[in-house]
Amino acid sequence: MSEQFSVRVSVRGYEIDGNGHVSSTVLMQYGQHSRWEALQAAGIDYDVLAAGQVGPVSLEETIWYRHEVLAGDELDVTCTYHWGEGHTFRIEQELHRSDGILLAEIASIGGVLDLTSRRLVADPASYWRQAAARPDVIGL
């Protein structure tokens, strides 16, 4: 079982759509923020990735809305990495209001892109394990 990482975000007024809700694009950005924060907490540095000509990519993202997300809400955005075999990995995320209410869930499929060949690296778990100072943060 992978370790669950969590980061808190505050909903800002300018992230609200015409219905008074946080827009779907912003919810996906919260998920992306949590994924990057998890990588940083694992000790994976963006500059090191760039120098190595690789970067994380999102291949698929699905969101399920459970409750309204409103201006002023404080959210805990979790991030759990699931590793298998092959070129991709899964990430499951939950967005909870600070009172524990589940607001949304995000499921993603990701990979590590070799920026020179423009192909996914064959074993992203192995790559992240070597790049991370604390691979346990991302379930390795």
Side-chain angles (χ1 to χ4, degrees):
M1 178 68 145
S2 287
E3 184 174 316
Q4 187 177 68
F5 178 83
S6 182
V7 64
R8 180 158 282 188
V9 296
S10 299
V11 176
R12 296 165 294 248
Y14 61 83
E15 297 171 329
I16 303 303
D17 66 16
N19 296 318
H21 305 121
V22 170
S23 70
S24 58
T25 303
V26 172
L27 290 177
M28 296 304 265
Q29 290 172 339
Y30 293 164
Q32 180 70 25
H33 174 66
S34 177
R35 293 190 298 270
W36 269 110
E37 289 292 313
L39 292 175
Q40 288 181 319
I44 297 170
D45 182 80
Y46 177 78
D47 292 334
V48 172
L49 295 176
Q53 294 293 301
V54 297
V57 292
S58 180
L59 303 169
E60 180 179 321
E61 292 183 36
T62 304
I63 189 166
W64 295 274
Y65 304 96
R66 303 300 183 207
H67 286 317
E68 296 177 312
V69 183
L70 306 171
D73 283 347
E74 294 281 320
L75 308 180
D76 294 313
V77 184
T78 67
C79 185
T80 306
Y81 285 76
H82 298 277
W83 305 96
E85 296 181 20
H87 292 78
T88 63
F89 51 91
R90 290 183 309 109
I91 305 168
E92 294 177 357
Q93 297 182 268
E94 294 181 345
L95 290 77
H96 292 265
R97 199 169 50 215
S98 59
D99 63 4
I101 299 294
L102 178 63
L103 302 173
E105 296 173 88
I106 300 172
S108 304
I109 297 175
V112 177
L113 184 67
D114 179 316
L115 298 172
T116 303
S117 69
R118 307 308 288 181
R119 301 277 185 226
L120 294 175
V121 300
D123 184 2
S126 176
Y127 182 84
W128 288 133
R129 191 177 293 109
Q130 291 175 8
R134 291 202 48 225
D136 58 298
V137 172
I138 56 172
L140 294 170

